[in-house]
Amino acid sequence: LNHLWCLLNGESESLECKECRVQHRSRDDTVKMSKRSSQQHLEAGTAEVRPLRLLLHTSDGVVPFLAPELLHNCFPPEIVADSLWMGVAVRDTCAQPFHKNGDDPRTSNPRGYTFSGGVSVDSWMEPYTRVTVPSFDLIKDTEHHRKDVIGGGGSKNHATDKQVMLWTPNCGRHPITPDLYFNSCRGLKSAYAISLYDIALQDNNETSGNVRNVQKRQAAAFRRTQTWWNHFHKACVDNNAEEDESPALQLWAPISVHDNLTKEDLTTEISNIFSKEKNSDSIFVTGLSLVGWGHVSTEHRRYLLEAAVEMALPLKADVAILATQSLRHVLEAASLGATVVGSNLPTLWATQKRAFLVPIPLKSDELHAAAKKPRTASQQNENENLVTSPSVYLDEDGCLPLDIEEGSDFTKHSWFQDKNPLVKGCQCQTCKLYTRAYVYHLVCAKELLAEMLLFIHNLYHLVALLDELKMTRSNIEPNDLVHDILASLPSLPPE
């Protein structure tokens, strides 16, 4: 706790603090290990490794739970530059109140809300690679704010050819036009940007009339996304032609995918995206994003992602999945060749008091053997890296729930007096400084520090998992990789 207080006060390398000196040496060791690992792969003659990064969903343009010094200490920008990127959503970062002409903003109530181009990210976020998006998942936004929409109303985004409605966290739903979105992107000054897009919700009532309506909405969303992409690209080119000192901007084109999208339509759209005339001296089309991918049926989303990767691979273009809702989705996207996987799972797991404990490293031969080997309760107890009691199990996301029901005996949990780190061998700041028993104590005491420590570990461990998958996915079939990882989790079903 003394060291945490040191970090929060900006003394990340104080000579008076023993832990600061230890972490400074540890950071140097991490850089050396990373360089040595890269050199070993080169000396082994391995093929070029396709990149894989985690796109963390930020809230209001900042990383949740962590103050600037703590963020930079736990995830140094120079070390995570090719593993961890920050996603900035216009829907929450750029929402601003507006007033009528003559109204004093200090004394009068706002007349409404809009999206402003005058918002910029905090300076301490600038060292990290950032990606600007309208929203990470329009469908999840709608489900969260309007639960009555899902199940019978179909698409309630109320998108037209001129605008789409974005749900903001605290200000309701507001329209945003392509021009307004472009101005917001310009203010955020991210290295990468995705144009405005639209997604059509599925209708659970599968009558013939509803199916036809859904197909029409999906086709309209696909067409709007195309139109807005062309508009956004032209606006970026024109803006950079007027402003000579503008930094080079890398664009990802969104493709609104759905269950009725064919491979032919997808490949045609990708060919149009990467046509030569799309690039200029200051604008580079370097990737694409399959928006709505997580809401497509399992087989079809794999089919579409494989087709997109097949076309993007020769061009060395990024293929991004903006939102994943579970560990299975993360593994599917990574194993099929996506280069950027977006998620807010580390944040979600921390707020739900869950510790991410998937074993790492994952060598393909050992992984396949572990998935086939049956596990008994006694074998489960022998794995000290994860759980120590057969009454405690990992869930489908590879997490251990730490929160207890009100009135239950908290001393029965296996972490109650466990002096081990969360995961033995993990190099995150939580595992270096604190024990399972201490983190569990914080959870039981309902301390905010519990969520902070769990977030640090969950994010670090998920990035480490993706780093390992980056090296493993070329040696094993995608379906086998996902199955083997999930099957090898040392989990027991709840009684």
Side-chain angles (χ1 to χ4, degrees), residues 33 360 385 421-428 431-432 457 460-461:
M33 289 175 59
I360 301 173
N385 286 350
L422 274 64
V423 173
K424 191 170 292 186
C426 178
Q427 297 300 307
C428 75
C431 290
K432 285 182 178 180
H457 168 76
Y460 185 99
H461 207 55

Side-chain angles (χ1 to χ4, degrees), residues 209-284:
N210 284 335
V211 169
R212 286 194 298 271
N213 288 335
V214 168
Q215 292 175 350
K216 289 180 180 179
R217 290 196 298 270
Q218 290 172 341
F222 185 84
R223 177 182 52 79
R224 286 191 195 104
T225 302
Q226 286 179 315
T227 303
W228 292 341
W229 156 247
N230 291 327
H231 181 279
F232 185 75
H233 179 270
K234 183 178 183 302
C236 290
V237 171
D238 294 343
N239 178 72
N240 277 265
E242 296 174 1
E243 301 179 8
D244 296 334
E245 297 182 358
S246 295
L249 182 63
Q250 302 186 62
L251 305 183
W252 290 347
I255 301 177
S256 181
V257 298
H258 50 81
D259 283 316
N260 297 309
L261 183 64
T262 64
K263 182 177 180 179
E264 291 72 20
D265 291 338
L266 178 64
T267 54
T268 300
E269 178 63 10
I270 294 176
S271 298
N272 293 333
I273 288 170
F274 292 107
S275 59
K276 293 182 179 180
E277 60 269 16
K278 288 294 183 182
N279 286 329
S280 66
D281 294 337
S282 57
I283 298 294
F284 303 94

Side-chain angles (χ1 to χ4, degrees), residues 54 82 106 114 152 169 194 208 230 247 258 272 282 312 420 430 437:
L54 176 68
D82 200 44
R106 295 171 297 180
T114 186
I194 297 174
S208 58
N230 291 327
H258 50 81
N272 293 333
S282 57
N420 291 310
T430 299

Side-chain angles (χ1 to χ4, degrees), residues 362-372 476 481 484-485 488:
L362 300 171
K363 295 182 175 60
S364 57
D365 51 349
E366 298 176 1
L367 180 62
H368 197 59
K372 289 187 173 182
I476 188 171
L481 179 60
D484 289 351
I485 291 178
S488 67

Side-chain angles (χ1 to χ4, degrees), residues 3 7 11-14 19-35 68-80 128 427 429 432 460:
H3 176 60
L7 295 179
E11 300 175 358
S12 57
E13 294 181 6
S14 172
E19 292 296 342
C20 283
R21 296 196 299 271
V22 170
Q23 290 185 22
H24 183 66
R25 292 194 298 269
S26 176
R27 182 185 301 185
D28 292 341
D29 292 342
T30 302
V31 175
K32 293 178 182 177
M33 289 175 59
S34 177
K35 292 180 178 178
E69 290 295 337
L70 194 55
L71 172 64
H72 285 205
N73 188 274
C74 295
F75 303 97
E78 65 276 10
I79 294 179
V80 301
Y128 296 93
Q427 297 300 307
Q429 298 300 324
K432 285 182 178 180
Y460 185 99

Side-chain angles (χ1 to χ4, degrees), residues 132-175:
T132 298
V133 302
S135 172
F136 297 106
D137 193 335
L138 291 176
I139 294 179
K140 291 298 293 183
D141 295 344
T142 304
E143 290 178 349
H144 177 73
H145 291 278
R146 290 280 300 276
K147 297 183 184 301
D148 57 317
V149 167
I150 308 303
S155 174
K156 298 294 184 181
N157 288 334
H158 295 295
T160 67
D161 291 344
K162 296 182 179 180
Q163 65 181 33
V164 67
M165 305 297 290
L166 291 185
W167 285 97
T168 59
N170 302 309
C171 308
R173 185 178 59 182
H174 302 283

